[in-house]
Amino acid sequence: PTTYSPACLLMDMDSGKILYEKNMEEKRYPASTTKIMTAILALENCDLSEKAAVSHNAVYSIPSGYTTASIQVGEEFTIEQMLYALLLPSANDAAVVIAEHISGSVEEFAKLMNEKAKEMGLTNSHFIVPHGLDNDGHYTTAYELAKIADYALKIDKFKEIVSTQSTTIYI
């Protein structure tokens, strides 16, 4: 097939057989697909009803023009609400709220992300931020991204959220 992407992978997830690949081991910037790993860690480390507070950093560290949930400093949301904001509109501020809730800071959360990647057998992935905004040294491969997605899709709540067409989050 003709593809315009510099790297891609088509894999039968049941058998693991690679049906088509293009530069599947090339380290690439994962952008918002980073949020899949953030969601995995939230689902494995939090109760969905836990309340997470919105910090100044979560709101103001996201540059203008990037997707946010328009949350405000001091508001509190459940982890479940933040996961919907993270995965449906791809809200970058929700990623920071989750990271700070779990680890206290984005930097400490990145360490947790990298530990999880190692646990999953990923050797060509390195995470620096929970949302995927541009950052040197933040990368994965098409092959490892497929492994991350496969792992996430085995979590029922993740499947439920990403299958949702729309939702409204209330304070």
Side-chain angles (χ1 to χ4, degrees):
T2 302
T3 62
Y4 298 99
S5 176
C8 62
L9 174 70
L10 177 62
M11 179 189 292
D12 179 320
M13 297 314 283
D14 291 329
S15 69
K17 182 178 180 186
I18 296 169
L19 306 172
Y20 176 80
E21 68 91 5
K22 178 179 172 185
N23 301 319
M24 74 175 191
E25 294 290 348
E26 182 178 293
K27 291 178 182 174
R28 310 280 312 165
Y29 172 65
S32 280
T33 59
T34 298
K35 293 176 178 106
I36 301 170
M37 181 64 88
T38 299
I40 289 168
L41 290 170
L43 290 163
E44 291 184 347
N45 289 284
C46 299
D47 183 300
L48 294 176
S49 64
E50 286 177 34
K51 293 279 189 170
V54 179
S55 71
H56 183 273
N57 183 55
V59 174
Y60 293 103
S61 67
I62 308 302
S64 178
Y66 286 90
T67 303
T68 68
S70 298
I71 55 182
Q72 302 299 313
V73 176
E75 291 179 325
E76 287 191 346
F77 296 92
T78 66
I79 292 299
E80 182 173 24
Q81 289 172 315
M82 287 294 90
L83 283 167
Y84 274 93
L86 176 78
L87 295 170
L88 294 187
S90 193
N92 295 295
D93 47 0
V96 176
V97 170
I98 290 168
E100 291 177 342
H101 177 75
I102 292 172
S103 298
S105 70
V106 165
E107 296 77 18
E108 288 301 311
F109 188 75
K111 291 177 185 176
L112 190 62
M113 295 173 84
N114 289 313
E115 288 170 16
K116 185 65 178 180
K118 185 177 179 181
E119 176 188 308
M120 292 170 65
L122 309 179
T123 58
N124 289 309
S125 294
H126 186 258
F127 299 97
I128 296 178
V129 291
H131 40 56
L133 297 183
D134 288 339
N135 212 302
D136 289 338
H138 188 88
Y139 56 83
T140 192
T141 66
Y143 178 71
E144 292 193 356
L145 181 56
K147 290 177 76 171
I148 294 168
D150 182 52
Y151 184 98
L153 287 167
K154 289 181 173 133
I155 302 170
D156 289 339
K157 189 64 177 184
F158 181 88
K159 282 193 304 193
E160 176 188 318
I161 294 169
V162 298
S163 298
T164 302
Q165 291 186 5
S166 69
T167 192
T168 301
I169 297 172
Y170 297 100
I171 299 176

